Amino acid sequence: MRIYVCVKHVPDSAASIKIVGSNQIDESVTFLMNPYDEHAIEEAARLKEKVGQAEVIAVCLGKKGAANTIQSALAMGADRGILVTTNRPPDSLATARALKAA
């Protein structure tokens, strides 16, 4: 069994986020894994232990810095990570297509 968990690389909620331009944020703040996605990774790892023959795969769409989120998922129990890199903020449809392709 393969358990895919989509994880998102987001700004730290404690950071002071500044808007740059019309619709972007200053990316000099600390980024980390979305806290809800952390719960999903933990639950996938528990399910893997229960089932036995399973593999947890964390998938993330983002810039190169999102590799840190994949590494966090691996440290939490994911077996593999897939980072789909992009340099522009994708919309929901582009995200869904990229994650499906991965």
Side-chain angles (χ1 to χ4, degrees), residues 34-47:
N34 179 330
Y36 295 109
D37 299 342
E38 289 178 1
H39 295 300
I41 290 288
E42 289 172 355
E43 193 58 37
R46 282 191 202 110
L47 181 60

Side-chain angles (χ1 to χ4, degrees), residues 6 59-61 84 94-102:
C6 297
V59 184
C60 183
L61 174 70
V84 180
T95 299
R97 287 181 175 154
L99 293 176
K100 180 185 177 212

Side-chain angles (χ1 to χ4, degrees), residues 26-79:
D26 177 13
E27 294 186 12
S28 64
V29 298
T30 303
F31 278 73
L32 42 77
M33 185 188 309
N34 179 330
Y36 295 109
D37 299 342
E38 289 178 1
H39 295 300
I41 290 288
E42 289 172 355
E43 193 58 37
R46 282 191 202 110
L47 181 60
K48 175 187 164 184
E49 287 178 13
K50 202 184 262 188
V51 172
Q53 293 282 11
E55 178 183 29
V56 177
I57 305 163
V59 184
C60 183
L61 174 70
K63 296 184 179 184
K64 289 182 182 181
N68 294 334
T69 290
I70 294 291
Q71 288 181 346
S72 295
L74 294 171
M76 295 175 67
D79 299 301

